[in-house]
Amino acid sequence: MLLPTLAKGVTVRRPGVMAAAEKLQSDGTAIDTMRSLRDRYGPEPVRLRITGRSVAVLVDPADVGRLLAGSPEPFALATREKKAALKHFQPHGVLVSEGLSRERRREINERALRPENAPVEAIVRDEADLLTRHVMSTGELTWDSFNQAWWRVVRRIVLGDHARADDQLTDDLKALRQNANWAFLHPRQRGLQARFQRRLDRHLDRREGLAAQPGDLSGQVPHWLFAFDAAGVVTIRALAIGARGTRGVLESARLWPTTPVILRESTEPTRWHGTWLPAGTSFVVFTPFFHRDPDRLPYADRYAPEIWDRPRDPAIVPFSGGPGVCPGRDLVLATGAAMLDALSEHLTFPKLTAPLPKTLNHFGLRMPTDPAGTRVS
Ligand code: HEM
């Protein structure tokens, strides 16, 4: 269950492994493994012994709700694994912070990451127009062309228009994230990290885009740029299923969660279904299982935007939940929905239909525009 997730790359996906995972539909196998664990052991967390550590895999949706509601105490977000991976490019990020500095950094993020703090729609429309023209001339939308437009959008929203063309900045971040995939195993490249941070700080000094918001943002923005990658992946997958609006973006993230493993580490002993688990236990929430479980969810494998209009199962958490919920959620939904709207204005694409695949390799998406449906402005 966990090995294919690690192999795909935790902080940046590896295209070759993603293609193989799609061929094997590895998420389907992992979901089936989780179903058989639950059937065999019941609703209690399943305990694994990995190198002498206490690891508990949750199988009960109510337990997921409890874990996330209880963060950061007694269930810390800053786990050993996250600290090891994220030190490569965001050693001061809120996700790996604790205590008072966590509180302060969380507040800075919440205040800065509001969609109304940047002209999101105007920026998206601008870049989507260029992309639409490109797609009309080539006859198809590919991940590469989408991704290029997406990063221009992201740099303009986060750092302002002057950063639009700074591919070097996001390429350096990608290299650092590739190291982060190896977490403990990769030496920290301090030279590259320093170069990236210097370049970023020069942009931040201009205080444009979200970077105009108050607070010391220098340690937080690397996470924003990193996390906007997932937002692009979610948006192109939404396009591939004909999704629209913020519920469409949420559905794409439910069907193919970009944070497939949510981790917490307990700071004290905690009791689960009558069993005590020691302090320092790592709790694993494997979200593809909870989001696509055919035993519980009649809509598991179809596009079901209506589920976001009513209270849901507590384990459907593409943006996490509780006090550690993704503070960028509304910004992602606004940016993704604006992109879907702008691209659907002049282009139509064939849609993937139910049952939707359990693994969808976004790198391999090639979406021909439907000549009959393509309207030229
Ligand atoms: C599809 C896009 C995204 C998804 C699915 C997503 C999902 C998540 C999830 C699941 C977490 C919790 C991680 C954990 O508990 O270990 C998280 C945390 C976070 N996200 Fe996002 N995220 C997305 C995009 C963004 C963007 C674009 C930003 C900023 C611009 C952002 C900022 C953050 C921050 C700062 C945290 C740490 C929160 C904390 O430690 O309290 N995210 N996100």
Side-chain angles (χ1 to χ4, degrees), residues 290-312:
F290 292 104
H291 293 188
R292 301 286 288 266
D293 180 3
D295 302 325
R296 286 187 309 108
L297 310 173
Y299 52 83
D301 295 333
R302 69 171 175 85
Y303 172 52
E306 69 282 359
I307 67 162
W308 297 96
D309 295 334
R310 47 179 198 253
R312 275 164 317 283

Side-chain angles (χ1 to χ4, degrees), residues 130-143:
L130 265 181
L131 178 59
T132 299
R133 259 177 264 162
H134 172 78
V135 171
M136 281 175 171
S137 73
T138 60
E140 65 174 7
L141 177 75
T142 60
W143 165 252

Side-chain angles (χ1 to χ4, degrees), residues 81-103:
E81 294 75 16
K82 275 185 243 178
K83 287 190 217 164
L86 301 187
K87 70 168 189 232
H88 289 279
F89 65 95
Q90 47 150 313
H92 309 293
V94 58
L95 193 51
V96 289
S97 306
E98 286 153 307
L100 213 72
S101 60
R102 170 176 177 78
E103 273 173 41

Side-chain angles (χ1 to χ4, degrees), residues 47-56 80 264-266 276-283:
R47 299 187 64 189
L48 312 176
R49 288 228 164 269
I50 302 178
T51 59
R53 293 186 42 195
S54 169
V55 177
R80 269 169 276 193
R264 294 287 183 272
E265 200 169 293
S266 58
W276 284 94
L277 297 180
T281 296
S282 297
F283 289 89

Side-chain angles (χ1 to χ4, degrees), residues 129 132 136 341-348 373-377:
D129 274 356
T132 299
M136 281 175 171
D341 259 0
L343 291 179
S344 317
E345 201 168 297
H346 300 295
L347 302 167
T348 48
T374 302
R375 283 172 283 132
V376 180
S377 56

Side-chain angles (χ1 to χ4, degrees), residues 68 71 77-78 82 90 93-97 102 105-106 109-110 113 158 210 220-221 223-235 249 253 257-259 261-264 287 317-321 323-329 331-332:
L68 298 181
S71 305
L77 287 98
K82 275 185 243 178
Q90 47 150 313
V94 58
L95 193 51
V96 289
S97 306
R102 170 176 177 78
R105 287 167 179 169
R106 174 80 201 183
N109 276 278
E110 281 178 7
L113 296 175
V158 175
L210 296 179
Q220 307 309 311
V221 176
H223 186 115
W224 303 355
L225 294 171
F226 145 73
F228 255 120
D229 186 20
V233 175
V234 163
T235 304
V249 180
T258 51
T259 311
V261 176
I262 298 181
L263 292 173
R264 294 287 183 272
T287 52
V317 285
F319 287 91
S320 185
V325 69
C326 173
R329 180 182 182 274
L331 184 63
V332 169

